[in-house]
């Protein structure tokens, strides 16, 4: 196994607050890697660093062993990084189809319309193709975020709480989809509070607390790690 | 040395007035989140009102001050906050900004209405004529008072913000609105208080400034530019820095004034006169400061966009373009020469308004300078060799597009209010420094040659009007193509979420520059195709404001909306020039219409479109509508009804009756007869309009047509059976989307939501 993404001693300071204080973690190629931790642990900040929305105060981000620190956000998608947003960032006045189409066109794929249709079908949004994105219920909106990110043809897909707002059946379907993506050669970094989903699909899990990685390992190791139980999982056994 | 002292004192006192204005601006901005473009206009209104009570009615100065600063201004602030802006709390920044632009336009209109420029008594400052000697320089009391007032306000604000309960709540709201609310502060009340305070400070600054520059609507209103510059110096956060910025600005202006009297000061630079330099100082200051601001950060959770524009359909667009061209051919055949010239002006306005469609409607960027680009287009066309050659026109469009992109480039790092301010500053700079040059407009006019097209004489009104409608139709179709293209989708995507766009690989700077270039190119047509003698006054900043307002109000996302807005602006000038008695009303209307925006951010055109939607899907009604138009045409061509009758009947039929046709088809019995009766009477009055309104001039006739259409339309609407509105899917359906409409209405009945 080789690492697709490496985070090396990344620290981010907001004024007097350390949002991330020297994080080290790897995301292996063709894996589903979970990133869990309590609210405010720094998960979204780490996503922003990976996407280039925020520059780390110190430390480096490596993609395919190449440092990408200075690369602007819009160039990172061409390098294969795609993401969804915890607070939805849909193109709310465009239709579902156009949301995905814009992504496909920006990625300069050869047949953007076909790619868009394909992703919408993959996420089960075909019935809503012409719905205005701003009028979608939260669950479908989250799925649309995923479809849009996929249309950019990412190698590394960052998902920020994709299951929040989904019901049990939809969450299960999302789990199946993630496995499918993995088999298609898309590496997934998944932030999620739904522990059953995380434990079911992830190959590797990193636990973040107060800006530090407090544990890394397989789902089984994480579930039995005392410091993780202390900081995050609590009474869930 | 003594001169230096004198000018330093002048600078400090001017700076003090700017400081007063900008501190008011800052206080309202930080507590309510609304950047009040109309701040200077409030000061202007206060200055005029003070003059009214003090010098016209002879009140004593203290009583007048209490009346204006203690009663009028706070009331004005409260009313603005409560009536005009509260409904927009959830709207986008663009919409809120436009609402204050509307306020500014309305205030300018009101002031010119109440206080016409003629026969004005001079505005005398406090203790006029009495001077104090400071370091051997005689200084008027007004200046001393300005300085004292600024210091007092600085100290007062400091005490208010740090020592009083209200002030601490204000700061808490600035810090974290929702947290402050949770802890018992009431942001709405605090915002009201800050609006009252801000308006009073604007008023004080306005009164003090009026004593220095006399009563003049536009210069007093533009006092706000100085306040903007100072406030931006304080990064819209810091009061001390804002005061410092204001003082620096005042001093720079004073020293420039001094320098201009000296022999070493160059009268021209590179052949261009430097006379406008001092006047332009605040604007240059503002522009530079904006350029020095750090790059706007990508932020998550941008305001949810309420405004939306449907994707234009080709068949409707082509039909619309054809109808426009054909009807302009038909209508101009019936119109008098002078009315055709008014139509030309309206079409020019429509082109200026439509220039905002790609920029503001699609890409969500505000420009306060559409007419500046039109002006540049006109100037270039007049200077271009070829005398109206089509190649010259293309060259002009390309050059203005480039200017648009280049001007925008530094501004592209900015967003929201900063970007809007930068475009406003650009508009003022071009007006003061470029358009006022003798070289550019010789003797204040430029001669724009008519475009030369073989076989068509565009110097005649009728061909010109037809040509302009063709030009508008072509621009409209190009915009439809743009909106349906990949780039058009990217514009809209950027408006909705720049953050998501960037993560998907969108180059925001390039996309914004393209939007600006396209907008500038279209606007340049509004100048370059307006053949004839034009003056720089046609292209000033304050004239650009109604363009933006009507664009937004009539639906900037749609081309039809832009056309509607242009016609509205055009008919406004028609009304004003034909019926002088209602000139004042027409001055105020764009502003008032703008303020109505809070209710429907999608604009008028989409409302009308919603009204027509049932008609287009109901073949019987559509057929009736079209045959009605055909019948009118026939009756006119055989001279049974006059041209005015045709126009009036067309408006009543098209806007008043046709939207009601589908409902009339299902209405039965007496109501149906009544509706048909009303429709018949309305059409009858319209058809014989000329005979009934024989003695009434054009403006009155237009008003009568509007009244008739509103009365007929509303009367019918109230009587007939309402057609069920089409339901919209909403995020609140809570998973009910899997049901058919029948099932849903069945369950609605079961739980007695509907009878």
């Amino acid at each position: 196994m080789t690492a697709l993404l490496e985070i090396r001693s990344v620290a981010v300071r907001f004024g007097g607050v350390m949002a991330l204080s020297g994080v080290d973690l790897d995301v292996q190629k063709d894996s589903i890697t979970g990133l869990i931790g309590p609210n405010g642990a720094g998960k979204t900040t780490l996503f922003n660093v990976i996407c280039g929305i925020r520059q780390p105060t110190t430390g480096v981000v490596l993609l395919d062993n190449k440092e990408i620190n200075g690369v602007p956000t819009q160039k990172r998608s061409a390098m294969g990084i795609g993401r969804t947003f915890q607070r939805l960032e849909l193109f709310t006045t465009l239709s579902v189809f156009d949301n995905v189409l814009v992504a496909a066109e920006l990625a300069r794929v050869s047949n953007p319309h076909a790619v868009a249709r394909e992703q919408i079908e993959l996420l089960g949004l075909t019935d809503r193709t012409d719905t205005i994105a701003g009028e979608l219920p939260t669950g479908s909106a989250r799925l649309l975020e995923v479809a849009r990110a996929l249309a950019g043809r990412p190698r590394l897909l960052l998902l920020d709480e994709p299951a929040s707002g989904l019901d049990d059946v939809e969450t299960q379907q999302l789990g199946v989809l993630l496995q499918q993506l993995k088999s298609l050669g898309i590496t997934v970094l998944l932030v999620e509070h739904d522990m059953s989903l995380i434990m079911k699909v992830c190959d590797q899990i990193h636990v973040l607390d107060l800006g530090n990685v407090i544990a890394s390992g397989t789902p089984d190791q994480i579930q039995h790690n005392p410091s993780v139980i202390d900081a995050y999982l609590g009474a869930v056994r | 040395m003594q001169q230096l002292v004198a000018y330093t004192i002048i600078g400090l006192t001017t700076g003090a007035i700017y400081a007063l204005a900008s501190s008011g601006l800052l206080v309202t901005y930080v507590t309510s989140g609304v950047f009040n473009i109309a701040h200077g206009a409030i000061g202007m209104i206060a200055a005029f009102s003070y003059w009214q009570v003090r010098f016209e009615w002879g009140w004593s100065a203290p009583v007048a001050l209490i009346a204006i600063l203690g009663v009028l201004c706070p009331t004005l602030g409260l009313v603005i906050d409560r009536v005009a802006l509260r409904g927009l709390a959830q709207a986008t920044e663009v919409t809120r900004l436009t609402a204050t632009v509307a306020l500014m336009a309305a205030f300018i209109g009101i002031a010119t209405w109440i206080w016409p420029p003629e026969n004005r008594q001079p505005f005398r400052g406090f203790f006029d004529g009495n001077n104090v000697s400071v370091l051997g320089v005689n200084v008027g009391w007004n200046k001393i008072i300005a300085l004292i007032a600024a210091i007092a306000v600085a100290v007062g604000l400091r005490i208010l913000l740090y020592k009083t309960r209200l002030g601490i709540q204000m700061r808490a709201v600035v810090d974290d609105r929702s947290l402050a609310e949770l802890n018992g502060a009431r942001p709405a009340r605090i915002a009201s208080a800050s609006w009252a305070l801000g308006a009073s400070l604007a008023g004080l600054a306005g009164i003090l400034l009026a004593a220095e520059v006399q009563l003049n609507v536009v210069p007093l209103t533009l006092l706000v530019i100085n306040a903007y510059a100072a406030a931006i110096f304080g990064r819209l956060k810091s009061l001390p820095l804002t005061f410092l910025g204001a003082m620096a600005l005042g001093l720079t202006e004073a020293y420039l004034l001094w320098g201009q009297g000296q022999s070493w000061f160059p009268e021209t630079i590179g052949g261009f006169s430097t006379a406008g330099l001092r006047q332009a100082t605040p604007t240059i200051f503002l522009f530079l400061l904006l350029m020095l601001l750090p790059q706007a950060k990508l932020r998550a959770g941008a305001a949810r966009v309420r405004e939306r524009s449907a994707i234009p359909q080709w068949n409707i667009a082509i039909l619309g373009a054809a109808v426009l061209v054909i009807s302009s051919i038909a209508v101009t055949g019936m119109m008098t020469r002078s009315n055709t010239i008014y139509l030309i002006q309206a079409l020019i306005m429509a082109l200026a308004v439509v220039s905002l469609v790609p920029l503001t409607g699609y890409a969500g960027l505000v420009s306060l300078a559409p007419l500046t680009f039109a002006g540049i287009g006109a100037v270039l066309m007049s200077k271009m060799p070829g005398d109206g050659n089509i190649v010259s026109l293309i060259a002009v469009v390309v050059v203005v597009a480039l200017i648009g992109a280049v001007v925008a480039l530094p501004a592209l790092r900015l967003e929201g209010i900063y970007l809007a301010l930068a475009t406003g500053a650009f508009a003022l700079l071009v007006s003061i420094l470029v358009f006022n040059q003798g070289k550019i407009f010789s003797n204040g006019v430029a001669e724009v040659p008519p475009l030369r097209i073989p076989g068509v004489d565009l110097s005649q009104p009728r061909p010109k009007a037809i040509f302009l409608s063709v030009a508008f139709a072509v621009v409209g179709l190009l915009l439809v193509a743009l909106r349906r293209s990949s780039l058009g989708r990217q514009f809209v995507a950027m408006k909705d979420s720049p953050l998501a766009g960037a993560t998907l690989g969108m180059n925001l700077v390039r996309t914004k520059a393209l939007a600006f270039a396209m907008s500038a190119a279209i606007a340049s047509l509004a100048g370059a195709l307006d053949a004839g003698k034009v003056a720089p006054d046609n292209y000033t900043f304050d004239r650009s404001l109604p363009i933006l307002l009507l664009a937004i109000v009539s639906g900037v996302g749609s081309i039809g909306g832009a056309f509607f807005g242009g016609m509205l602006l055009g008919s406004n000038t028609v009304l004003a020039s034909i019926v002088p008695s209602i000139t004042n009303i027409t001055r105020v209307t764009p502003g008032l219409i703008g303020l109505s925006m809070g209710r429907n951010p999608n604009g008028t055109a989409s409302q009308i479109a919603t009204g027509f939607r049932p008609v287009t899907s109901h073949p019987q009604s559509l057929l009736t509508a079209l045959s009605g138009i055909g019948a009118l045409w026939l009756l006119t061509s055989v001279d049974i009804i006059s041209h005015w009758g045709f126009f009036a009947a067309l408006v009543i039929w098209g806007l008043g009756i046709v939207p009601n046709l589908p409902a009339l088809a299902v209405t039965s019995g007496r109501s149906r007869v009544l509706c048909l009766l009303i429709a018949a009477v309305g059409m009858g009055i319209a058809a014989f309009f000329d005979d009934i309104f024989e003695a009434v001039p054009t403006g009155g006739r237009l008003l009568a047509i509007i009244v008739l259409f509103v009365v007929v339309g509303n009367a019918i609407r109230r009587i007939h059976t309402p057609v069920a509105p089409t339901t919209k899917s909403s995020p609140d359906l809570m998973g009910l989307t899997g049901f058919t409409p029948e099932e849903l209405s069945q369950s609605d009945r079961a739980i007695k939501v509907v009878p």
Side-chain angles (χ1 to χ4, degrees):
Chain A
M1 282 266 242
T2 48
L4 176 63
L5 177 79
E6 295 162 73
I7 310 286
R8 293 281 167 266
S9 348
V10 163
V12 172
R13 183 198 294 277
F14 298 135
V17 182
M18 290 300 272
L20 294 175
S21 33
V23 168
D24 277 284
L25 60 84
D26 287 356
V27 176
Q28 301 299 328
K29 210 167 249 173
D30 300 334
S31 74
I32 298 178
T33 303
L35 186 61
I36 62 173
N39 288 326
K43 302 179 301 271
T44 299
T45 306
L46 187 60
F47 268 25
N48 287 344
V49 168
I50 299 171
C51 290
I53 294 166
R54 183 166 287 285
Q55 288 303 315
T57 316
T58 59
V60 286
V61 179
L62 302 154
L63 187 74
D64 280 331
N65 293 320
K66 279 195 290 280
E67 188 188 319
I68 57 167
N69 270 24
V71 180
T73 304
Q74 75 261 18
K75 294 212 171 130
R76 295 195 187 199
S77 87
M79 303 176 87
I81 299 177
R83 81 170 280 187
T84 68
F85 294 88
Q86 180 200 351
R87 291 178 167 194
L88 299 169
E89 286 284 341
L90 291 173
F91 304 134
T92 44
T93 63
L94 289 178
S95 69
V96 166
F97 185 77
D98 281 354
N99 264 271
V100 188
L101 182 59
V102 165
E105 284 168 341
L106 283 169
R108 299 209 170 80
V109 298
S110 55
N111 189 348
H113 282 80
V115 170
R117 242 183 315 260
E118 197 182 302
Q119 303 310 330
I120 287 172
E121 206 182 307
L122 188 65
L123 271 296
L125 290 168
T126 313
D127 288 352
R128 298 189 179 272
T129 306
D130 295 324
T131 309
I132 297 295
E135 293 177 356
L136 287 175
T138 321
S140 310
R142 295 230 172 261
L143 297 179
L144 176 56
E145 284 253 348
V146 179
R148 189 179 64 181
L150 284 174
R153 289 286 156 89
R155 290 185 296 147
L156 172 65
L157 179 61
L158 313 175
L159 299 176
D160 204 344
E161 299 193 16
S164 73
L166 300 190
D167 62 28
D168 288 350
V169 180
E170 288 170 324
T171 306
Q172 240 168 29
Q173 287 166 346
L174 180 70
V176 175
L177 174 78
L178 293 180
Q179 301 286 7
Q180 221 174 326
L181 294 179
K182 180 178 150 186
S183 66
L184 290 170
I186 297 174
T187 307
V188 177
L189 181 58
L190 175 66
V191 164
E192 190 47 69
H193 282 302
D194 184 329
M195 281 309 119
S196 61
L197 176 68
I198 284 275
M199 295 305 166
K200 199 156 42 179
V201 300
C202 289
D203 303 301
Q204 181 84 13
I205 296 174
H206 302 288
V207 186
L208 218 53
D209 187 29
L210 297 173
N212 289 299
V213 178
I214 56 168
S216 297
T218 62
D220 205 43
Q221 289 165 341
I222 294 296
Q223 266 171 316
H224 297 101
N225 182 319
S227 60
V228 176
I229 293 171
D230 234 28
Y232 184 47
L233 296 181
V236 181
R237 308 256 154 158
Chain B
M1 187 59 208
Q2 187 146 18
Q3 264 198 336
L4 200 65
V5 174
Y7 279 100
T8 307
I9 292 172
I10 291 178
L12 287 177
T13 51
T14 323
I17 297 174
Y18 296 165
L20 287 171
S22 54
S23 59
L25 183 72
L26 202 65
V27 166
T28 48
Y29 176 69
V30 292
T31 45
S32 67
V34 177
F35 192 85
N36 185 13
I37 300 271
H39 193 70
I42 297 175
M44 179 268 295
I45 291 280
F48 272 92
S49 312
Y50 177 80
W51 171 83
Q52 180 76 41
V53 297
R54 175 82 179 87
F55 300 109
E56 292 284 276
W57 296 347
W59 297 11
S60 71
V63 176
L65 277 181
I66 291 170
I68 303 303
L69 300 183
V71 182
L72 179 76
C73 284
T75 315
L76 210 55
L78 282 178
V79 169
I80 293 172
D81 178 46
R82 289 282 156 91
V83 179
L85 300 172
R86 182 108 348 140
L88 296 173
Q90 301 301 316
T92 57
E93 202 168 26
V94 170
T95 310
R96 274 184 286 161
L97 195 70
T98 320
T100 64
V101 171
L103 268 177
M104 174 165 159
F107 281 149
I108 293 179
I110 290 170
T112 358
W113 184 356
I114 306 181
W115 296 287
E118 57 271 3
N119 310 326
R120 229 176 245 161
Q121 286 200 37
F123 190 111
R124 281 175 281 121
F126 300 107
F127 308 105
D128 193 36
N130 300 310
N131 292 328
V132 196
S133 178
V134 181
L135 299 172
V137 179
N138 273 334
V139 184
W141 264 108
N142 197 70
K143 291 189 167 59
I144 303 281
I145 288 178
L147 211 52
I148 294 171
I151 295 167
V153 165
V155 174
L157 280 178
R158 173 84 198 178
I159 293 173
L160 172 75
L161 290 175
Y162 287 84
K163 302 281 181 207
T164 68
R165 193 178 159 76
L166 178 68
I168 290 166
Q169 287 186 351
M170 278 183 177
R171 283 166 52 221
V173 170
V174 177
D175 239 26
D176 188 326
R177 196 183 181 89
S178 35
L179 197 60
E181 196 165 8
L182 279 176
N183 282 298
R186 291 160 76 176
R189 261 179 56 185
I190 291 162
S192 297
S194 74
W195 272 93
L197 179 62
S200 288
L201 288 173
L204 180 57
I207 292 170
L208 287 166
L209 190 72
E212 306 287 329
V213 302
Q214 284 306 311
L215 288 175
N216 249 322
V217 173
V218 174
L220 279 176
T221 304
L222 292 183
L223 153 72
V224 78
I225 297 290
N226 310 290
Y228 296 157
I232 300 289
F233 191 78
R235 288 286 173 81
L236 293 182
K237 278 196 290 248
S238 157
L239 269 175
L241 274 180
T242 301
F243 270 80
L244 197 67
M247 290 300 172
L249 185 56
L251 286 173
T252 315
E253 260 192 78
Y255 292 143
L256 256 172
L257 188 66
W258 173 66
Q260 276 176 336
Q262 306 295 311
S263 52
W264 48 262
F265 198 85
E267 267 181 39
T268 57
I269 295 174
F272 286 96
S273 158
T274 56
L277 212 54
R278 192 188 65 82
Q279 200 194 344
T281 315
T283 320
I284 297 172
F285 217 73
L286 174 64
F287 204 68
L288 289 179
L289 282 173
L290 286 168
M291 294 308 111
L292 292 176
L293 281 180
Q295 168 97 40
K297 285 224 170 61
L298 285 169
R299 273 178 320 198
R304 292 288 161 259
V305 185
R306 269 204 296 172
E307 299 88 341
R308 80 152 110 44
S309 58
I311 301 177
Q313 300 298 317
W314 271 122
N315 50 359
I316 295 177
I318 291 169
L319 187 71
V323 167
L324 171 64
V325 174
I326 292 170
S327 50
S328 80
I329 294 172
V331 168
T332 51
M334 307 175 188
M335 278 174 142
T336 61
R337 193 183 162 89
S338 58
N339 279 345
T340 311
I341 291 170
Y342 289 126
L343 178 68
I344 289 172
Q345 282 316 305
L347 284 165
I348 293 284
M349 285 299 145
L351 273 173
V353 176
V354 88
S355 79
L356 291 173
V357 167
L359 187 70
T360 312
Y362 299 165
L365 305 166
V366 174
S367 166
L368 300 178
L371 284 185
T372 307
F373 291 111
I376 298 174
V379 167
L380 286 177
M381 193 68 184
S382 73
K383 306 280 174 204
M384 209 41 105
D387 195 29
N389 199 317
I390 188 107
V391 182
S392 321
L393 179 72
I394 293 169
V396 166
V397 172
V398 171
V399 170
V400 178
L402 286 176
I403 294 176
V406 169
V407 164
L409 269 179
L412 293 176
R413 307 180 309 113
L414 310 169
E415 55 175 17
I417 47 169
Y418 295 107
L419 180 60
L421 284 180
T423 59
F426 169 71
L428 282 169
L429 280 182
V430 173
S431 274
I432 301 170
L433 294 182
V434 182
F435 287 170
N436 277 352
Q437 301 284 345
K439 273 182 156 183
I440 306 288
F441 282 92
S442 18
N443 302 320
V445 277
E447 180 90 39
V448 180
L451 193 65
R452 275 188 297 139
I453 302 175
V456 189
D457 181 8
L458 287 185
S459 58
Q460 291 304 311
R462 187 175 177 209
K464 187 178 172 186
I466 296 171
F467 173 74
L468 281 172
S469 62
V470 172
F472 186 91
V474 170
V475 167
L477 290 175
L478 287 175
L479 284 173
V480 171
L482 170 70
R483 176 61 184 82
R484 298 177 64 88
S485 74
S486 171
L487 183 63
R489 276 188 290 275
Q490 287 187 35
F491 281 175
V492 181
M494 179 172 70
K495 172 177 73 180
D496 288 351
S497 172
L499 178 62
T503 48
L504 289 167
M506 188 190 294
N507 183 336
L508 296 177
V509 169
R510 181 179 148 271
T511 315
K512 284 184 189 174
L514 276 172
F516 262 101
M518 287 179 186
S519 173
I522 298 172
S524 76
L525 286 177
L529 295 180
D530 192 11
K533 286 191 168 58
V534 291
D537 274 0
N538 295 4
Y539 308 112
T540 51
F541 171 67
D542 52 305
R543 290 211 182 191
S544 277
L545 298 182
I547 301 270
L548 174 70
L549 282 181
L550 278 172
I552 297 214
V553 168
S554 52
V556 72
S558 77
I559 294 139
F563 183 76
F564 188 78
M567 287 295 129
L568 221 57
L569 257 182
S571 64
N572 219 13
T573 48
V574 174
L575 284 179
S577 51
I578 299 175
V579 200
S581 55
I582 61 160
T583 311
N584 292 314
I585 301 175
T586 65
R587 282 210 187 103
V588 185
T589 29
L592 294 184
I593 295 173
L595 288 173
S596 70
M597 187 173 47
R599 297 175 190 280
N600 177 30
N602 284 323
T604 320
S606 73
Q607 263 179 336
I608 293 181
T610 318
F612 278 111
R613 206 160 294 143
V615 181
T616 47
S617 56
H618 190 255
Q620 208 186 333
S621 305
L622 195 60
L623 200 66
T624 316
L626 292 177
S627 13
I629 296 173
L632 284 176
W633 181 256
L634 212 67
L635 287 173
T636 315
S637 57
V638 297
D639 279 337
I640 292 179
I641 55 181
S642 70
H643 294 156
W644 264 107
F646 172 74
F647 175 66
L650 196 66
V651 171
I652 309 299
W653 177 251
L655 297 179
I657 298 172
V658 166
N660 292 309
L661 284 177
L664 278 177
V666 295
T667 309
S668 57
R670 279 203 359 235
S671 341
R672 182 175 175 143
V673 174
L674 196 57
C675 285
L676 291 177
L677 202 65
I678 294 171
V681 170
M683 291 299 288
I685 297 176
F688 298 99
F689 198 79
D690 244 351
D691 305 314
I692 301 169
F693 292 87
E694 209 178 340
V696 182
T698 313
R701 290 177 171 208
L702 290 177
L703 270 183
I705 291 174
I706 293 170
V707 169
L708 193 60
F709 129 66
V710 170
V711 169
V712 170
N714 279 317
I716 297 178
R717 196 166 306 136
R718 271 161 211 278
I719 296 167
H720 68 53
T721 317
V723 178
T726 40
T727 45
K728 265 196 310 187
S729 68
S730 97
D732 309 323
L733 279 178
M734 306 180 115
L736 291 178
T737 45
F739 297 93
T740 64
E742 288 75 38
E743 284 171 325
L744 281 178
S745 57
Q746 223 171 15
S747 67
D748 277 352
R749 272 194 298 278
I751 55 175
K752 301 196 171 58
V753 177
V754 290

